[in-house]
Amino acid sequence: MSFIVAANWKMHKTPEETTEFFLRFLDIVESPGIKKIFFIPAVNALATANSIGFSNIGWGPQNIFPAAEGAYTGETSPKVMADLGAQYVLVGHSERRRLFHETNELINKKILSAQEFSLNPVLCIGETLEERKQGQTLAVLQKQLEVGLSHVEVLKELHIAYEPVWAIGTGEVASPEQVKEAHQYIRRFLAKKYPEHHASINILYGGSVKIDSAKDLSQVDQVSGFLIGGASLKADSLQQIIQVVRNEG
Ligand code: PGA
């Protein structure tokens, strides 16, 4: 599968700004061989679906509740998202884990529910600075993978995003060595769990990816995509990163 450049817009953009972004992005983007996915605020689903049209850009929400419908005030239904044309969903982002107390068990339910409604999950995992300092990084990743992927099969597409919490939104990007160690570990885990299908699983890196760091990181062993927050909000800066990755490919 091709290199993935995924955007995480977090809680940014109105429907109008979404439309404006895609008008510009579709105008400038030129990148055969790079798969592009946008994780948009769920309220902008319609604006996104209408803007993207029949281009081969993928999109989805940043979170779902693991049920089609029901008495879940304030939550987002995977069924509705799929109905609007979403193909992907971000699950277990560290901001959801930290600010909304999402556990590995809940994250696991969300992945299973996403698959039930034909949304391809991108599972986010990563250690905090404290966990890294205590030498717990690989143990944390193991737990997040073990519980998060419990009973999960590789249907259509399944992806993992390694996002060290200390590198998210901080400008402090992980070093290629740190990324390599984590990604190789994740690959070994996946190879053991899914001996026949793990090759189709992309492992994305996320955490302060910018134009300056994109080149080196894209060449690290087992990095087959990026999940980009801040630098994905402007069409031109995102396209510049895509261009760098493409030239390296
Ligand atoms: P960042 O965010 O690129 O702004 O660090 C990445 C993410 O949270 O997915």
Side-chain angles (χ1 to χ4, degrees):
M1 196 166 152
S2 37
F3 198 91
I4 293 180
V5 172
N8 175 12
W9 281 359
K10 312 195 179 189
M11 201 172 73
H12 291 285
K13 294 196 192 295
T14 63
E16 197 181 331
E17 288 163 350
T18 301
T19 306
E20 278 167 12
F21 176 97
F22 284 116
L23 266 177
R24 173 77 185 149
F25 187 68
L26 290 172
D27 201 32
I28 59 173
V29 74
E30 229 190 89
S31 51
I34 307 277
K35 173 76 188 164
K36 295 164 286 291
I37 305 171
F38 287 82
F39 292 103
I40 49 104
V43 286
N44 291 335
L46 209 52
T48 301
N50 289 339
S51 306
I52 283 176
F54 293 103
S55 77
N56 59 1
I57 293 175
W59 68 274
Q62 301 156 8
N63 177 39
I64 47 159
F65 188 83
E69 59 184 14
Y72 306 111
T73 302
E75 291 295 313
T76 298
S77 157
K79 180 167 174 270
V80 172
M81 286 295 120
D83 200 55
L84 287 168
Q87 311 94 355
Y88 293 89
V89 60
L90 210 56
V91 182
H93 190 278
S94 70
E95 284 149 21
R96 304 258 0 138
R97 292 177 189 260
R98 182 168 51 90
L99 298 170
F100 304 98
H101 315 293
E102 290 198 8
T103 60
N104 287 320
E105 287 75 14
L106 176 62
I107 288 161
N108 176 242
K109 285 196 186 121
K110 291 186 179 196
I111 293 178
L112 292 168
S113 180
Q115 290 186 324
E116 190 186 332
F117 295 99
S118 298
L119 296 174
N120 299 310
V122 177
L123 167 63
C124 301
I125 59 174
E127 80 288 359
T128 62
L129 187 57
E130 207 180 332
E131 288 162 343
R132 175 165 282 275
K133 279 183 178 160
Q134 290 170 356
Q136 293 294 309
T137 299
L138 299 186
V140 168
L141 299 183
Q142 182 184 356
K143 184 88 194 278
Q144 290 173 334
L145 287 167
E146 246 165 36
V147 183
L149 294 176
S150 170
H151 303 296
V152 172
E153 287 170 37
V154 184
L155 308 176
K156 269 185 5 192
E157 291 179 39
L158 170 70
H159 306 298
I160 309 295
Y162 170 60
E163 298 204 302
V165 179
W166 47 272
I168 295 178
T170 58
E172 190 177 340
V173 67
S175 72
E177 292 71 32
Q178 290 169 324
V179 175
K180 184 171 152 193
E181 186 194 23
H183 279 235
Q184 287 183 340
Y185 175 78
I186 295 165
R187 178 60 65 194
R188 284 199 299 277
F189 180 97
L190 295 172
K192 217 162 163 190
K193 182 171 171 80
Y194 305 112
E196 285 169 33
H197 301 293
H198 79 93
S200 72
I201 304 176
N202 285 291
I203 310 173
L204 283 54
Y205 168 77
S208 298
V209 174
K210 303 266 180 318
I211 179 135
D212 304 338
S213 49
K215 183 177 160 207
D216 286 351
L217 289 170
S218 71
Q219 293 172 330
V220 173
D221 184 40
Q222 299 304 330
V223 171
S224 46
F226 290 145
L227 181 57
I228 308 173
S232 74
L233 291 170
K234 291 213 168 71
D236 290 80
S237 87
L238 185 61
Q239 168 55 17
Q240 281 168 5
I241 295 177
I242 291 172
Q243 197 62 39
V244 166
V245 173
R246 192 179 154 216
N247 291 342
E248 292 311 306

